[in-house]
Amino acid sequence: MSQIPSLISDLAVILISAGLVTLLFKWLKQPVVLGYIVAGILAGPAFTQIPTVSDVESIHIWADIGIIFLLFALGLDFSIKKLMKVGGTATTGAITIVIGMMTLGYISGLLLGWGHMNSLFLGGMLSMSSTTIIFKAFDDMGLRNQRFAGVVFGVLIVEDLFAVLLMVLLSTLAISKHVEGFELLSSVIKLGIFLLFCFVVGIYLIPSFLKKVRSYLNEETLLIVSIGLCLGMVIIATKAGFSAALGAFVMGSILAETVEAERIENLIKPVKNLFGAIFFVSVGMLIDPHLLWQYKIPILILTLVVMIGQISFASFGILLSGQPLKIAIQSGFSLAQIGEFAFIIAALGLSLRVTDHFLYPIVVAVSVITTFFTPYMIKLSEPAYKIVDRIIPDTWKRFLERYSSGSNTIRQKSAWNKLLKALMRIVGTYTAVTLVLIFIWLEFVAPFIMKEISGIRGAILALILILALISPMLRAIMMKKNHSEEFLQLWNDNKYNRGPLVSLIVLRIVLCIGLVMLPVVKLLNLTLGIMLSIASIVIAMTIFSKKLKRQSILMERHFFSNLVAREIEEEKRAPINQRFANHLLERDLHLAEFEVRPNSPSMGKTLIELNFRQKCNVNIVTIIRGNKRINIPGGKERLYPYDKLIVVGSDDDLEHFHKYIEERYRLSNSANFADDTQEEISIEQFIIISGSRLIGRSIVESGIRDNAACLVIGIERGNTSIKNPPPDTIFREGDIVWIVGEREKVLRLSEGRKL
């Protein structure tokens, strides 16, 4: 008998232990992630009394795949436009948390005597809250539609981006073993250029590709294509000197801007769940319970640091962004834990061999404890706000109210501000793309051309091709915004503005000359004057070429068309105008979405009968039924399964509405459970014996269909078989009758009992 490879047997142990333990944790109403970690402890080398994993190293391969899919799924939910929409509140809050917790974690590590590198990684681990745990807690507690939940989700989006950047910076510091300002700055610039290039090129190409092959994309092919794109970007990222996790995250954020994003997210979810489970189990395998007991005091200290630090920095950051005190405190208490990114950063430190082994299980233990307390901390936020509101002076309250209302006032930006921001965005993006294209060309394409065509001819051909490739970008750098409304307004308003405006154009032209000089210097061995002349001629041709102008405009339109495609699609399905939603927020009201589930007691009833307005103080403003949208539905409108109800109300009213419909659903289903079991359809046969009341009657006259709600599907008569007999078929003695219907009624007929 052949032996099963250890990889398969170990995978069996992991999944069986994960399945059993997570079922227990679901029953205990605890987060599944905690179950995975406990399953890892049981399946790891710490317990030899039960079958455990024999080759831990091979499982790390699966865990690495798990990290890739976790980051890919995170990228799918990320979206660059979503980051831009979360605004100053989320950005200010996240920056405050990350800087504050990294500093606090670093100081805590040094005070515990763990050294510089351990403390640096510890700060990174303690600075990220758990997206998975918070989403799950809000769902379980029915808080996802609360106003503060939206703020928390925004902070988590920004934190996810910081976490990915932090992984790259920590890797750089770990390799260099010391902090050098110039080296760190070059790493940040390199990372920024890489992200910009991947995003711009990805948005330009990938949505167009998916659109062209959309008719061939069933669930199977879309899954394979998505995973292929993800792993392809992983290879590109690692070749560029970054982590595989960064590549997966980048591809996820690119696909998040496509119209197929939701389909991809649903298809990837089972794959992510499988490999994510293996990753979290592998986290548990590295935990030694004896080591945890040995370090119980540091674990307790770090747990307090996380909970107190996250609450303090998050509340302060969100308050600083202009949110009311109650929202700030509720958000701070919700973020009081660390999660999956702590494990990933800890695993990164181990793989780079720059952190001690004791740090990994300590951080996991802190994460487990803080995760366990998350629901209780969220519940404590309301009493904590009442205490703070009671003890702070009235003058502070009035100041915070004025600060909050003042921060939310929309201020008109100056023309200079708008113009400079637009130019920085345009010049930065196109310069990054141009630099990466030049680098790739000079490293890979030009040597191939010059090998095939030797001498000066090959160099000139390579130069002409790269200049043709980057010329649309060069024109955009030099000419964009030169005829914009802001530019013309500044030019006409004041003659003193004209000097700076011309200087901006000249600086961009000089930048483009420098970009052209890069391939010229590399490919042609000429004097500086001749090379500058060539660059100037190229720039002049780029500026005055009408064909190039048209090409540049078409490329930009194509890019923005791809960028906003998903947004346009969502706006078509959007129940309410976003401006109206923002108007509601100013009055402490907001919109929430609820779905009518199958077997819901509300199903089939009119809005007048349900009377949600009187019972819960909420209003149903829209019903979405498939592709149909019913705005301001009338009282006679009935609800059907899978209808999406867009409800407007305050936080308290929406929470009351959620609990009300959940309680009605639970009571209705528990009451009807017994009835559901009696409606089973069955198929039976019976023989018409002598004296039966059916003899001589037709199927219609027998009342089998009308009275018993059963269907005659066949009659066996002698050696013949009548399939689907017509209604006027006469029953005879000895017929074998096949009937279908509700089980109880079929049994009555087959036993000859009276209906």
Side-chain angles (χ1 to χ4, degrees):
M1 182 177 176
S2 60
Q3 292 291 324
I4 298 176
S6 61
L7 186 63
I8 297 177
S9 60
D10 289 346
L11 192 59
V13 170
I14 284 177
L15 294 180
I16 290 171
S17 60
L20 294 175
V21 175
T22 48
L23 285 174
L24 174 63
F25 271 68
K26 288 289 283 184
W27 179 66
L28 294 172
K29 296 182 178 178
Q30 295 301 315
V32 175
V33 174
L34 298 185
Y36 290 146
I37 294 171
V38 173
I41 296 174
L42 296 175
F47 287 86
T48 56
Q49 299 86 351
I50 57 176
T52 57
V53 170
S54 58
D55 185 9
V56 178
E57 288 301 319
S58 65
I59 299 304
H60 287 181
I61 298 173
W62 293 103
D64 290 339
I65 298 173
I67 292 175
I68 288 172
F69 283 110
L70 280 173
L71 269 294
F72 182 52
L74 202 62
L76 281 169
D77 193 52
F78 174 73
S79 172
I80 297 295
K81 291 203 301 295
K82 191 185 290 185
L83 176 63
M84 294 169 67
K85 287 180 181 178
V86 295
T89 295
T91 305
T92 305
I95 290 174
T96 306
I97 294 167
V98 171
I99 294 175
M101 289 304 300
M102 279 206 69
T103 305
L104 196 58
Y106 179 74
I107 294 171
S108 300
L110 291 179
L111 292 176
L112 290 168
W114 289 350
H116 166 69
M117 196 59 71
N118 280 330
S119 301
L120 195 61
F121 271 79
L122 178 65
M125 296 173 204
L126 302 189
S127 61
M128 302 294 161
S129 297
S130 173
T131 304
T132 306
I133 299 304
I134 293 174
F135 269 60
K136 182 70 169 60
F138 282 170
D139 273 340
D140 292 344
M141 300 171 72
L143 299 174
R144 259 188 109 158
N145 294 313
Q146 295 281 322
R147 182 179 172 186
F148 79 90
V151 174
V152 172
F153 292 154
V155 171
L156 291 172
I157 289 170
V158 182
E159 279 192 353
D160 290 342
L161 178 62
F162 278 125
V164 175
L165 301 179
L166 192 61
M167 288 169 60
V168 177
L169 296 179
L170 288 174
S171 301
T172 304
L173 291 174
I175 293 169
S176 62
K177 302 292 183 184
H178 61 279
V179 181
E180 269 191 21
F182 180 76
E183 186 177 350
L184 189 61
L185 180 63
S186 65
S187 298
V188 172
I189 293 172
K190 181 183 175 184
L191 174 62
I193 291 173
F194 176 78
L195 292 175
L196 262 177
F197 176 79
C198 290
F199 182 75
V200 172
V201 175
I203 292 297
Y204 188 83
L205 298 176
I206 291 175
S208 300
F209 166 72
L210 293 178
K211 187 177 181 180
K212 285 186 179 297
V213 299
R214 191 172 190 178
S215 58
Y216 306 106
L217 290 177
N218 57 19
E219 291 189 351
E220 180 182 358
T221 53
L222 183 58
L223 175 64
I224 300 303
V225 168
S226 304
I227 293 177
L229 290 171
C230 170
L231 297 180
M233 184 57 77
V234 164
I235 295 172
I236 292 172
T238 51
K239 292 289 185 183
F242 300 105
S243 66
L246 177 66
F249 181 83
V250 168
M251 181 50 68
S253 65
I254 292 171
L255 291 175
E257 307 298 345
T258 67
V259 293
E260 304 292 342
E262 291 182 11
R263 285 181 65 196
I264 295 172
E265 196 171 352
N266 291 331
L267 292 172
I268 289 292
K269 192 173 182 179
V271 182
K272 179 205 74 172
N273 289 342
L274 172 63
F275 289 106
I278 296 171
F279 167 71
F280 288 118
V281 171
S282 72
V283 168
M285 287 180 187
L286 296 176
I287 297 176
D288 183 357
H290 301 291
L291 194 65
L292 294 182
W293 181 252
Q294 181 183 344
Y295 286 92
K296 56 184 179 293
I297 302 301
I299 289 172
L300 178 61
I301 292 172
L302 291 178
T303 299
L304 293 174
V305 166
V306 168
M307 298 179 79
I308 295 172
Q310 287 278 8
I311 291 172
S312 303
F313 288 118
S315 299
F316 175 72
I318 292 168
L319 196 64
L320 189 66
S321 70
Q323 290 294 329
L325 180 63
K326 182 178 181 180
I327 299 295
I329 291 176
Q330 287 177 313
S331 303
F333 274 77
S334 302
L335 293 163
Q337 78 291 119
I338 57 174
E340 53 274 9
F341 265 117
F343 307 152
I344 295 172
I345 294 174
L348 176 67
L350 281 180
S351 65
L352 295 172
R353 303 181 187 278
V354 294
T355 57
D356 294 324
H357 286 277
F358 68 82
L359 190 60
Y360 191 97
I362 287 175
V363 169
V364 173
V366 172
S367 174
V368 169
I369 296 170
T370 54
T371 296
F372 176 80
F373 281 106
T374 295
Y376 305 104
M377 298 302 292
I378 294 173
K379 290 178 181 177
L380 279 174
S381 64
E382 188 79 22
Y385 162 69
K386 291 178 180 177
I387 293 172
V388 173
D389 186 60
R390 191 167 57 247
I391 62 176
I392 63 173
D394 291 337
T395 53
W396 288 26
K397 289 182 187 179
R398 288 193 293 271
F399 169 76
L400 290 175
E401 288 174 2
R402 288 196 304 270
Y403 181 77
S404 173
S405 60
S407 296
N408 291 325
T409 303
I410 300 173
R411 299 178 179 87
Q412 187 174 358
K413 299 177 182 177
S414 68
W416 270 113
N417 192 15
K418 289 181 181 179
L419 179 64
L420 291 175
K421 281 191 174 182
L423 285 177
M424 287 176 64
R425 184 174 64 251
I426 291 166
V427 172
T429 301
Y430 282 110
T431 302
V433 174
T434 304
L435 285 171
V436 176
L437 285 175
I438 291 172
F439 172 78
I440 294 172
W441 190 271
L442 295 178
E443 286 293 320
F444 303 105
V445 183
F448 174 77
I449 294 174
M450 295 171 71
K451 182 180 178 182
E452 296 296 321
I453 305 173
S454 59
I456 190 67
R457 290 186 303 162
I460 292 174
L461 177 62
L463 179 61
I464 291 172
L465 291 176
I466 184 58
L467 291 178
L469 182 63
I470 66 173
S471 56
M473 272 71 76
L474 295 176
R475 194 181 194 289
I477 293 172
M478 293 183 291
M479 304 304 293
K480 290 293 292 182
K481 290 294 177 179
N482 289 351
H483 299 284
S484 65
E485 182 181 342
E486 297 85 7
F487 189 97
L488 295 175
Q489 179 186 335
L490 291 168
W491 184 273
N492 295 322
D493 280 354
N494 194 329
K495 64 179 181 179
Y496 295 106
N497 288 334
R498 296 179 183 181
L501 291 171
V502 172
S503 299
L504 286 174
I505 297 173
V506 172
L507 286 173
R508 287 184 281 158
I509 291 173
V510 171
L511 173 63
C512 290
I513 290 174
L515 292 173
V516 172
M517 287 287 287
L518 290 175
V520 171
V521 170
K522 182 74 175 179
L523 296 172
L524 299 179
N525 186 18
L526 301 172
T527 61
L528 180 61
I530 295 175
M531 288 190 290
L532 279 172
S533 300
I534 293 172
S536 301
I537 292 169
V538 170
I539 293 301
M541 292 172 62
T542 302
I543 292 174
F544 294 107
S545 172
K546 292 184 178 180
K547 184 177 180 181
L548 195 57
K549 177 182 178 181
R550 186 169 60 253
Q551 183 64 29
S552 178
I553 293 171
L554 290 175
M555 287 177 62
E556 188 167 332
R557 284 179 182 173
H558 180 78
F559 173 81
F560 281 104
S561 174
N562 286 345
L563 184 64
V564 301
R566 184 184 180 187
E567 195 172 6
I568 292 171
E569 191 71 21
E570 288 177 346
E571 281 180 1
K572 291 177 182 176
R573 304 195 302 256
I576 289 293
N577 185 281
Q578 187 60 41
R579 289 176 63 189
F580 176 63
N582 294 335
H583 189 64
L584 289 174
L585 283 174
E586 295 173 5
R587 285 152 179 77
D588 202 26
L589 300 172
H590 61 278
L591 299 166
E593 183 179 299
F594 298 89
E595 187 175 77
V596 179
R597 291 187 285 184
N599 300 324
S600 168
S602 302
M603 191 174 62
K605 293 186 177 180
T606 64
L607 295 180
I608 289 178
E609 293 172 327
L610 295 168
N611 200 13
F612 289 137
R613 184 170 187 174
Q614 293 297 324
K615 294 175 180 176
C616 304
N617 198 31
V618 298
N619 292 286
I620 296 177
V621 294
T622 299
I623 299 175
I624 301 176
R625 186 171 297 150
N627 294 325
K628 183 181 179 182
R629 183 167 59 203
I630 306 169
N631 290 325
I632 316 299
K636 295 183 180 179
E637 189 66 48
R638 296 185 183 274
L639 300 185
Y640 296 97
Y642 303 108
D643 277 355
K644 290 181 181 178
L645 310 181
I646 308 302
V647 183
V648 62
S650 66
D651 280 346
D652 294 337
D653 294 333
L654 291 173
E655 184 179 1
H656 179 212
F657 179 68
H658 175 77
K659 290 179 179 178
Y660 174 75
I661 60 175
E662 286 295 318
E663 184 67 17
R664 291 186 74 231
Y665 181 80
R666 186 183 63 80
L667 293 174
S668 174
N669 279 275
S670 60
N672 294 331
F673 179 75
D675 295 337
D676 291 343
T677 60
Q678 295 176 359
E679 295 177 358
E680 182 182 351
I681 295 295
S682 176
I683 181 170
E684 297 287 344
Q685 66 173 0
F686 65 91
I687 301 175
I688 299 179
I689 60 176
S690 177
S692 171
R693 64 182 182 82
L694 296 176
I695 297 175
R697 292 187 179 186
S698 66
I699 295 176
V700 174
E701 294 170 341
S702 68
I704 289 177
R705 178 160 190 158
D706 296 332
N707 299 332
C710 295
L711 183 66
V712 177
I713 61 171
I715 298 174
E716 294 181 20
R717 183 173 293 164
N719 295 325
T720 62
S721 178
I722 307 172
K723 186 177 180 181
N724 295 325
D728 57 355
T729 303
I730 305 296
F731 289 116
R732 300 179 185 176
E733 183 180 344
D735 283 350
I736 300 174
V737 182
W738 288 87
I739 54 175
V740 176
E742 294 179 9
R743 183 173 180 80
E744 180 65 26
K745 295 176 180 178
V746 168
L747 289 175
R748 285 184 182 182
L749 275 173
S750 62
E751 294 171 3
R753 288 184 285 163
K754 188 175 181 180
L755 292 172

